[in-house]
Amino acid sequence: MTAVTTDFASLSEAEYRRRIRAWVLYDWANSAFATTILAAVLPVYYSQVAGATLPSPAHATAYWSVGVSVALLLTAVLSPILGTISDIKRGKKPFLAFFIGVGVVGTGLLVFVNTGDWLLASAAFILARVGFSASIVFYDAMLPHVARPEDQDMVSSRGYAIGYLGGGLLLAINIVMIFLLPEDNLGSRLSFLSVAVWWAVFTIPVLRNVPEPDAVRVRGEHGSIAAAGFHRLVRTFREVRRYRQLLVFLVAFWLYNDGIGTIIKMATAYGDEIGIGMSDMVIALIITQFVGIPFAFLFGRLAGRIGTKQGILLALAVYVLISIAGYFMQTALHFYLLAFMVGTVQGGSQALSRSLYGAMVPKSQAAEFFGFFSTSSRFAGIAGPLLFGVVSQIAGGSRLSILSLIVFFVVGGLILTRVDTAEGIRVAEEEDARFVAEAAA
């Protein structure tokens, strides 16, 4: 029988800090994918270069959307099942390494994409996006095993801050490469390769310096690991009502995170609609990245003073102001100011949500629950873009769509106020104790 909690007391302070630094550095590693591949370069490159031989730009947009949907669907199906298996078997790091490898290979293949290669671009992107999204499930699930409960807010926030720095730094380098090496799209293709190399190199510390969390195998879980994993996943869905506070938090998170995600996904389309140039939008993205660095740290410290839940509520209040300001946006300067405002709260709200969720899940099933967290968030994320599109169609423009997102922040925040964090932590600890008892029997 193995324990389900990390014995932090046995660690020297130097070793504890070394593990935290290694874990945090993976945010630095994977954020390069989020900025260059997901947000700034590849979507435009796919439309203007890879999809240049398609009948129309609309076809390129449609094929890109299909690729994104396929990648998200594969991740949604795989994450909770693989997460459950990794809890039973000492497998968080092997799964993390495997999906990082998948993501790095997929990203590296993009260097071969040139004019008309939309099929190769789609296949490579799907491979890379599945690796990226699935790796984060196992990375997040290691947080309760890396940081003491009282340090998790700060460590999670530090990860987002370092991620902003790494992603923004490489994006800035890549933009320079694109402008200096335009011939045969060399700058863009090398930027894709740089993300793969960056991701692989800065992943090494977490794989080397963070130990594999212990696993627990309980009675009735014999036979194949896959069968046991599926059995535990089904049981978790059946018994999830016992985690009442966790469920209340999830409902709140689904709502407010949908609003946040919609702002991120639709910002470029909205900016283009009102006449903001692509170069201005890239600059705005870089502003968001670098502003996010100090403010992610600030939210980590703020949570230590006012509480994690209160820190999230403060961020949601700022998002309400962002939605209102977005309605009145007219110029590139306005877009820059909104990017600054988003940078002040985007990393902090996501980091504190990750740490609050991690505090209320049983550590014996951390990957399983973070897999469910990832999957459910993606399915719940449909409502925001749908509302945005419907309102835009009815109103004949997107200004009211931006304003309509306020409902996600207000309702999500109100539900969040009902979460009893202490009770949620107590239930998770009881579940861990039960798993230890069953394993010992």
Side-chain angles (χ1 to χ4, degrees):
M1 188 272 291
T2 54
V4 299
T5 57
T6 302
D7 183 11
F8 293 112
S10 66
L11 292 177
S12 68
E13 191 64 22
E15 175 63 20
Y16 179 63
R17 296 297 174 191
R18 186 166 70 93
R19 291 183 183 183
I20 287 176
R21 285 194 298 270
W23 184 85
V24 162
L25 200 58
Y26 185 65
D27 259 307
W28 168 286
N30 70 35
S31 291
F33 182 89
T35 53
T36 296
I37 304 299
L38 293 183
V41 180
L42 184 59
V44 177
Y45 187 85
Y46 188 96
S47 176
Q48 297 181 358
V49 180
T53 56
L54 292 171
S56 70
H59 281 78
T61 300
Y63 288 178
W64 173 257
S65 299
V66 169
V68 171
S69 299
V70 169
L72 292 179
L73 180 61
L74 288 173
T75 306
V77 171
L78 288 173
S79 294
I81 296 174
L82 294 178
T84 305
I85 293 171
S86 78
D87 284 328
I88 298 171
K89 185 176 182 289
R90 287 172 60 91
K92 289 183 179 65
K93 282 180 64 176
F95 277 118
L96 175 63
F98 174 77
F99 283 108
I100 290 169
V102 169
V104 167
V105 169
T107 304
L109 288 174
L110 290 169
V111 75
F112 299 109
V113 174
N114 214 323
T115 304
D117 296 328
W118 62 269
L119 187 59
L120 173 59
S122 296
F125 171 73
I126 290 171
L127 194 67
R129 182 62 194 267
V130 169
F132 171 76
S133 298
S135 72
I136 290 175
V137 171
F138 301 102
Y139 169 66
D140 286 349
M142 295 172 74
L143 175 60
H145 301 277
V146 169
R148 302 182 185 109
E150 64 271 21
D151 294 335
Q152 286 179 22
D153 287 338
M154 180 55 69
V155 172
S156 183
S157 298
R158 187 182 302 174
Y160 272 94
I162 294 300
Y164 276 130
L165 178 59
L169 179 61
L170 187 60
L171 175 60
I173 294 170
N174 286 336
I175 295 300
V176 172
M177 289 168 55
I178 291 168
F179 281 111
L180 292 180
L181 301 170
E183 186 175 351
D184 198 32
N185 303 303
L186 182 61
S188 296
R189 293 189 291 118
L190 288 178
S191 73
F192 303 145
L193 182 62
S194 74
V195 172
V197 173
W198 181 284
W199 191 358
V201 169
F202 290 110
T203 288
I204 294 173
V206 72
L207 297 179
R208 289 190 60 184
N209 298 328
V210 177
E212 174 67 40
D214 288 329
V216 171
R217 187 162 185 144
V218 301
R219 288 180 301 173
E221 289 182 349
H222 302 293
S224 73
I225 291 293
F230 184 76
H231 170 76
R232 267 185 60 181
L233 181 61
V234 170
R235 186 178 67 182
T236 297
F237 280 120
R238 288 175 179 171
E239 298 181 356
V240 74
R241 288 176 298 178
R242 295 192 298 108
Y243 302 94
R244 184 176 182 279
Q245 301 305 320
L246 189 64
L247 277 176
V248 174
F249 168 75
L250 274 174
V251 173
F253 177 78
W254 291 334
L255 286 167
Y256 71 71
N257 191 62
D258 199 4
I260 295 171
T262 304
I263 286 178
I264 295 170
K265 293 169 188 171
M266 303 309 298
T268 302
Y270 180 53
D272 183 65
E273 180 182 315
I274 65 174
I276 307 299
M278 181 55 67
S279 60
D280 288 319
M281 287 190 278
V282 171
I283 291 171
L285 176 61
I286 294 174
I287 289 173
T288 300
Q289 291 295 118
F290 284 100
V291 169
I293 298 167
F295 278 93
F297 280 117
L298 178 62
F299 265 89
R301 293 186 179 278
L302 189 63
R305 292 179 176 271
I306 67 174
T308 309
K309 188 169 69 174
Q310 287 70 26
I312 297 172
L313 290 170
L314 175 60
L316 298 184
V318 175
Y319 270 113
V320 170
L321 296 177
I322 289 170
S323 298
I324 295 172
Y327 175 81
F328 296 101
M329 186 172 66
Q330 298 283 349
T331 67
L333 177 59
H334 295 158
F335 202 78
Y336 294 161
L337 292 174
L338 282 180
F340 182 93
M341 290 180 68
V342 170
T344 64
V345 290
Q346 183 173 295
S349 61
Q350 292 174 323
L352 296 186
S353 297
R354 176 169 66 181
S355 61
L356 182 58
Y357 183 79
M360 293 192 292
V361 302
K363 292 177 178 56
S364 57
Q365 302 168 75
E368 175 184 329
F369 273 86
F370 272 102
F372 176 70
F373 185 65
S374 172
T375 298
S376 62
S377 299
R378 282 169 173 77
F379 283 119
I382 296 172
L386 180 61
L387 176 65
F388 192 99
V390 169
V391 173
S392 180
Q393 287 293 317
I394 294 173
S398 298
R399 291 194 182 277
L400 284 177
S401 299
I402 289 289
L403 205 59
S404 70
L405 297 179
I406 290 175
V407 68
F408 291 100
F409 304 124
V410 172
V411 177
L414 288 174
I415 295 175
L416 182 62
T417 63
R418 308 299 298 173
V419 176
D420 185 338
T421 306
E423 174 64 13
I425 294 173
R426 184 191 67 78
V427 172
E429 291 175 345
E430 284 186 355
E431 181 68 8
D432 278 333
R434 184 178 70 84
F435 262 73
V436 170
E438 288 187 3

